[in-house]
Amino acid sequence: MRFKSIIVGEEEPVINIETGTYNQKNCFAEEKVSIKKEDLGEITSVNLITEDILIIDIQMCFSASQTIRTEMVGESVVLNFICCNNVEADIDEVESEKYTTENTHNILYASKLNAAFKIPELEEINYLSIILSPDFYSKLINENWDLHQKFSKNILQKKTGYLTPKYVPFNSEIQWAIHEIKNCKYSGSMKKMYLEAKIKELLIFQLESLKEFEGKAPVDEKDYKKLLEAKRILERNFTNAPSLLELSRLISLNEFKLKKGFKACFETTVKSYVTKLRMEYAKKLFKNKNSNVGEVAYKCGYKDVSHFSAAFKSFYGFTPMDFRKINIFTKLNFLFWEFMDFFPLVDFL
């Protein structure tokens, strides 16, 4: 499997990677790309490579519009996560939406891929692509091709195409799994174990999310885009979330359509989604052992600590104080076993 990406007009490719054959013992190789030119812009990319797995996390911002040509040789299944708007994509032999939408995802099978991406000027671009060989993908799904019959048929017939016609919005599980993959702190064989487990977890969330939307059109296209914008507004401002009335005005959609459409598209209410975002942020903050409950409540947008504690217990099943104790104990337990890996008990006898 070979992946190459080049900016039209530039000599050197941004990314040029070739993987080998899957070997469970081999660890990830890491490649970092950093390009900064005054007349071009800035590109940073972290690429993790191990035989049949390629993880590309790329950020770009150009001073003028650019076209990037991407070529992928060899069969692959791509878990694609788009964190930006307004990129025009033209993929050979593939029908897809013309422009990208922020915080959406899909799964692509490609027997061979040639694509051109038109990047607008001064637009912050972020893609996460997890590229797998079909053999490794089949291991992840335990060779259960019934999970997605039409997509499976494309793979078996070597026909390039997406699992669903449209990219689907991230849910909170997908966002959290992406965060954990991007912020993996392990190294060596532990990193490989962790990332392979997280890729499988992420794939489960993707398949569940995509199956829910496959062939389903709860609202029309125009309202759907407005609801996506509402979702993005909440994700950016969940600690000080707008009221339903304010949100409906911001997206130019009446309250009734906002409430009904949000529930139909994202299978949660606006209020529940804000709570979920706050609770996930709280969990992240509590990983800092110096954070106390009052500080976390305030940072999550709660003026009353008791309201925060009640919401936290309702969401996770235990109080914030209990969570802090569990988190501290887990960290100490992990550090103990990590210490014992370096200094086995036999060394002290």
Side-chain angles (χ1 to χ4, degrees), residues 271-322:
K271 184 179 178 181
S272 295
Y273 189 61
V274 170
T275 300
K276 181 180 279 193
L277 292 170
R278 288 177 169 182
M279 293 302 104
E280 287 167 353
Y281 184 50
K283 183 180 176 183
K284 183 180 175 182
L285 292 173
F286 276 132
K287 288 187 177 182
N288 179 351
K289 63 182 180 181
N290 295 321
S291 296
N292 63 51
V293 177
E295 288 173 344
V296 172
Y298 177 76
K299 288 179 181 178
C300 290
Y302 289 89
K303 295 177 181 177
D304 189 316
V305 175
S306 62
H307 289 168
F308 167 72
S309 297
F312 193 95
K313 186 174 182 179
S314 176
F315 192 84
Y316 287 115
F318 39 77
T319 66
M321 289 300 294
D322 290 338

Side-chain angles (χ1 to χ4, degrees), residues 67-296:
T67 298
I68 294 181
R69 294 199 177 279
T70 295
E71 178 187 72
M72 198 153 53
V73 178
E75 288 184 83
S76 57
V77 177
V78 185
L79 316 185
N80 216 20
F81 305 91
I82 297 172
C83 306
C84 55
N85 282 313
N86 305 322
V87 175
E88 185 178 346
D90 182 14
I91 304 173
D92 289 0
E93 299 178 18
V94 178
E95 289 186 15
S96 64
E97 297 168 276
K98 189 173 182 181
Y99 292 95
T100 61
T101 302
E102 186 180 11
N103 291 344
T104 56
H105 70 99
N106 208 337
I107 301 176
L108 171 72
Y109 165 75
S111 56
K112 183 180 179 182
L113 183 71
N114 284 292
F117 301 93
K118 293 182 180 178
I119 315 291
E121 64 178 318
L122 303 178
E123 188 84 39
E124 291 188 1
I125 306 301
N126 181 206
Y127 278 86
L128 175 69
S129 294
I130 300 173
I131 304 169
L132 313 170
S133 75
D135 286 344
F136 184 77
Y137 181 76
S138 72
K139 291 182 178 71
L140 286 181
I141 63 170
N142 300 319
E143 299 182 353
N144 183 7
W145 298 104
D146 291 337
L147 281 171
H148 39 46
Q149 293 182 3
K150 187 177 177 182
F151 188 62
S152 304
K153 191 175 178 181
N154 285 347
I155 295 174
L156 297 172
Q157 293 179 349
K158 302 186 187 303
K159 181 182 176 183
T160 299
Y162 281 106
L163 196 152
T164 61
K166 292 182 179 294
Y167 273 71
V168 169
F170 292 172
N171 56 32
S172 57
E173 288 86 1
I174 287 172
Q175 286 179 312
W176 186 251
I178 289 171
H179 170 80
E180 291 184 312
I181 287 171
K182 287 187 174 191
N183 293 278
C184 173
K185 291 181 172 60
Y186 298 110
S187 60
S189 57
M190 285 279 282
K191 183 172 188 173
K192 186 177 175 67
M193 287 172 58
Y194 180 84
L195 288 177
E196 286 185 357
K198 285 297 167 186
I199 288 169
K200 187 165 189 175
E201 182 182 349
L202 186 54
L203 176 61
I204 290 168
F205 296 145
Q206 270 201 286
L207 290 175
E208 182 182 39
S209 173
L210 290 166
K211 280 186 75 175
E212 287 172 0
F213 277 81
E214 193 173 17
K216 180 179 172 184
V219 297
D220 64 39
E221 187 74 18
K222 188 177 177 182
D223 285 355
Y224 179 66
K225 287 184 177 179
K226 290 180 179 181
L227 291 165
L228 276 178
E229 179 58 26
K231 191 168 182 280
R232 287 193 290 270
I233 289 169
L234 296 176
E235 286 162 359
R236 290 194 297 264
N237 304 285
F238 63 87
T239 59
N240 186 26
S243 66
L244 273 173
L245 179 59
E246 289 168 336
L247 189 58
S248 69
R249 286 173 178 167
L250 287 169
I251 63 169
S252 301
L253 192 69
N254 69 53
E255 276 190 75
F256 176 77
K257 283 189 172 184
L258 170 59
K259 288 195 289 186
K260 187 177 179 181
F262 200 94
K263 175 72 173 175
C265 288
F266 310 124
E267 298 196 339
T268 185
T269 64
V270 171
K271 184 179 178 181
S272 295
Y273 189 61
V274 170
T275 300
K276 181 180 279 193
L277 292 170
R278 288 177 169 182
M279 293 302 104
E280 287 167 353
Y281 184 50
K283 183 180 176 183
K284 183 180 175 182
L285 292 173
F286 276 132
K287 288 187 177 182
N288 179 351
K289 63 182 180 181
N290 295 321
S291 296
N292 63 51
V293 177
E295 288 173 344
V296 172

